[in-house]
Amino acid sequence: MNISLRQSDLRDLHEKVEAGVRISNEDALRLFASKDLHALAAIASLVRRRKNANRASYILNCYINYSNYCILSCQFCAFARKKRDADGFQLTVEEIVEKARAALKVGVTELHIVGGLHPSLPFSYYTGMLRALKAVDSRLQLKCFTAVEILHLAWLAKKSVRDTLLELKDAGLESLTGGGAEIFRKDVRSQIARGKESGEEYLDVHRTWHQLGGRSTCTMLFGHVESLADRVDHLDQLRKLQDETHGFTGFVPLPYQPENNGIPVEHPPSGFDSLRTIAISRIYLDNFDHITAYWVGLGLKLAQVALTHGADDLHGTILEEHIFHMAGATTPQLHTEAEMIKAIRETGLVPVQRNTFYQPIKIWNGAAPLDEASTDARSAVLEDNLASA
């Protein structure tokens, strides 16, 4: 045990985790109350090493938002638009296919596709989009739709959630995204996302998808009006569903972006809060294999530090992200593969290119250099292709 832990009031929790004993909600609140970030990092790193040894991953992916028109008006959302708004957009299936072709040219393995709850697109648009993308390259993994989008599509199709998911799966859907979880507790949700699906509905969509053999990620939006107890309750509900289905591949804590929305927050998530939340998530979610440090919300430098605080994944190259940037994120629109590998290596971990399901595609063992010039050139070509698509 290091010096910080020997002197810390958390040493009993370290011993509990080291023995493989699950921590309680009360333990999690103790962890949140602690100011000893070094001790939190040490405990979280113990869990990370147990699950992922000395590896940390990234994915070559591309974000595509098919439309930002939405029938909802979530208070925290800076992405959604109404049909009357001049900056609303809607892509045709052909335009989405062109973006996919551009992404494939530089080795992207996953398309991450979400959008607003469009007021008039038919259900056939979504199944047609999936089939058209699979026709481009069957190996391209399609990670699409949030839980509330699935509920919207079920309403459009006039089918149950289960039958809707089956039809989407048949069309090519491989993974649900984890977005939209926000905070599950009802009183918090009503303050930040009134009219959106409930926490129970979010969990039930993922439960149904898992029962059909599907996998998904999950999220938590933190640092707005919720309490620390609300965060623990959120993690508790995710852990319970994972105990039941084992269908979540990874957890992605999302720091709230305070600009350009209807929820003023005096103290948005600090670096300290982000790191402790990632660390505690790693300690608490003992039935999750992976914790992602979402660099779009954190910035790559803080996400890199998060790899020493329990995270084992930096997410992806992303290439075209709108939702967080429209909310005020000032991070770049993309990071190259070379930058991701460099960030991981600097922490002493082995970089791993992964697929949608966190399975390794390429392991960068040893000190073999990556051709950064060619990788950067690939990304520049992709940006040009995306701009013209």
Side-chain angles (χ1 to χ4, degrees), residues 133-144:
L133 290 171
K134 273 298 179 184
V136 172
D137 191 323
S138 61
R139 297 168 298 177
L140 192 60
Q141 294 182 309
L142 303 182
K143 183 177 183 179
C144 310

Side-chain angles (χ1 to χ4, degrees), residues 67-74 77-90 116-119 194 326:
S67 176
N68 65 345
Y69 292 127
C70 188
I71 61 176
L72 297 180
S73 300
C74 298
C77 181
F79 174 73
R81 296 293 184 271
K82 303 302 180 187
K83 277 295 188 81
R84 61 181 177 271
D85 294 326
D87 55 347
F89 68 88
Q90 173 185 323
L117 306 190
H118 198 283
R194 192 177 304 111
M326 290 174 75

Side-chain angles (χ1 to χ4, degrees), residues 170-197:
D170 182 66
L173 179 65
E174 292 175 87
S175 175
L176 289 185
T177 73
E182 324 312 356
I183 289 289
F184 290 143
R185 197 160 263 166
K186 185 177 180 180
D187 57 341
V188 176
R189 207 171 184 83
S190 66
Q191 293 180 63
I192 65 172
R194 192 177 304 111
K196 202 171 184 179
E197 90 278 28

